[in-house]
Amino acid sequence: MFKQAATYNSITNLQEYTKTVTAYISKSITVCQSEAVAGGGLQTTEGPRAAYSSGDEEGLRTARANLSCGIREAKREYSRKIAHRFSSDTRSLWRGIQTIMDYKPSRQNCESSTSLLNELHDFFARFEAHKSTPAHKTPPPPVDQVLTLTRDSVKRSLDWINTQKAPGPDNIPGRGLWDCAAELTDVFTDIFNTSLSQGVVPMCFKATTIIPVPKKSSPSCLDDYRPVALTPILMKCFARLVLPPLLLGPLPVCISVQPVNR
């Protein structure tokens, strides 16, 4: 459906195709998370509330007993979780103590204006600002074969996603891609192969969110910030699939030898 909407005169607009698919996935994940949070609170009180509204005393007692059992089981589960965290390693122990004591480090004072952000942007992009050569697409030789990815390889790449990694600018978490790997394999196999056949990487895959992380507690200059790039997880999967064939495949090497005057 998304590919058909982005196809004009038998030519697929890869940018529109990829943008609509990723935007739909991000919106669906956001809606599912909101419904899960809202449904979790209603599930525990729906039984007693319905029994009270209908005037069923026996049902009300049963619903209250079930609610009490659920609360006790949740407390036991949380106790087991805390005990496991304490017994795993020292780092987890310290984090558990911070959680129980509600310890929060002192917040650093930041400038309210955007001047610091603009200065950091210019500082991190100072090497790119001097590049005057525009990027251009080199047409491949007609004898070269276009790399084609299989459905199984894309499925394995989605299964290998680290769910603890932060999402990129597309706001698609790795947990959502990992859980729905079977459903998303076909569409991303088609997107990746279309990108390889056209020789173009979607712009939404190349977008990056730069997070300035202070190198020390009280940064005094721009060099005291370390830029951490958050790239889309889908681009990491794509790069993981394309890199091995490029490294293992036969690459033509042209060597030009110049005579040396002695």
Side-chain angles (χ1 to χ4, degrees):
M1 179 183 64
F2 292 106
K3 185 177 183 179
Q4 183 179 2
T7 302
Y8 309 94
N9 298 327
S10 302
I11 300 177
T12 301
N13 188 337
L14 181 62
Q15 308 296 340
E16 181 180 350
Y17 181 22
T18 309
K19 185 66 176 179
T20 52
V21 170
T22 54
Y24 178 77
I25 294 174
S26 178
K27 180 64 176 180
S28 301
I29 292 176
T30 303
V31 172
C32 292
Q33 290 175 344
S34 301
E35 291 180 354
V37 172
L42 294 176
Q43 186 176 5
T44 56
T45 59
E46 184 178 359
R49 186 178 302 173
Y52 179 80
S53 300
S54 61
D56 185 4
E57 297 182 359
E58 183 66 24
L60 180 60
R61 286 194 294 268
T62 304
R64 286 179 175 175
N66 294 334
L67 179 60
S68 300
C69 292
I71 294 175
R72 286 194 298 268
E73 180 61 29
K75 289 182 178 180
R76 285 193 292 266
E77 181 64 25
Y78 182 75
S79 178
R80 288 191 293 265
K81 181 179 178 181
I82 293 298
H84 176 72
R85 176 178 296 182
F86 282 179
S87 61
S88 56
D89 56 358
T90 308
R91 185 176 183 181
S92 298
L93 173 62
W94 174 239
R95 288 181 177 178
I97 294 175
Q98 288 180 338
T99 302
I100 293 175
M101 299 179 62
D102 195 20
Y103 169 78
K104 296 179 181 179
S106 57
R107 301 180 59 181
Q108 300 178 358
N109 295 327
C110 300
E111 298 182 8
S112 58
S113 63
T114 59
S115 59
L116 177 61
L117 299 179
N118 294 329
E119 292 177 2
L120 286 173
H121 175 270
D122 296 336
F123 181 74
F124 292 151
R126 63 188 184 278
F127 299 108
E128 298 290 336
H130 300 290
K131 289 186 178 181
S132 58
T133 304
H136 63 278
K137 179 181 176 182
T138 303
V143 295
D144 285 1
Q145 293 183 350
V146 178
L147 175 64
T148 302
L149 303 176
T150 62
R151 185 183 186 278
D152 294 336
S153 61
V154 176
K155 176 65 166 55
R156 287 194 299 270
S157 179
L158 295 177
D159 289 335
W160 292 342
I161 290 178
N162 186 356
T163 58
Q164 302 298 326
K165 294 293 184 179
D170 54 2
N171 293 324
I172 300 179
R175 183 71 186 185
L177 297 174
W178 185 80
D179 287 336
C180 303
E183 292 78 9
L184 299 176
T185 297
D186 291 333
V187 63
F188 284 119
T189 301
D190 186 58
I191 289 177
F192 293 163
N193 287 329
T194 303
S195 175
L196 292 173
S197 62
Q198 296 183 4
V200 178
V201 178
M203 293 298 298
C204 59
F205 283 3
K206 296 190 291 184
T208 304
T209 302
I210 304 298
I211 306 297
V213 179
K215 299 179 183 178
K216 52 186 180 180
S217 58
S218 299
S220 57
C221 61
L222 298 179
D223 199 23
D224 291 339
Y225 293 92
R226 179 184 297 106
V228 176
L230 300 181
T231 57
I233 299 178
L234 290 171
M235 186 60 199
K236 298 178 183 179
C237 297
F238 192 21
R240 189 184 299 116
L241 292 168
V242 174
L243 184 60
L246 295 179
L247 296 178
L248 301 178
L251 298 178
V253 180
C254 297
I255 302 177
S256 177
V257 179
Q258 300 291 337
V260 179
N261 296 328
R262 295 184 180 274

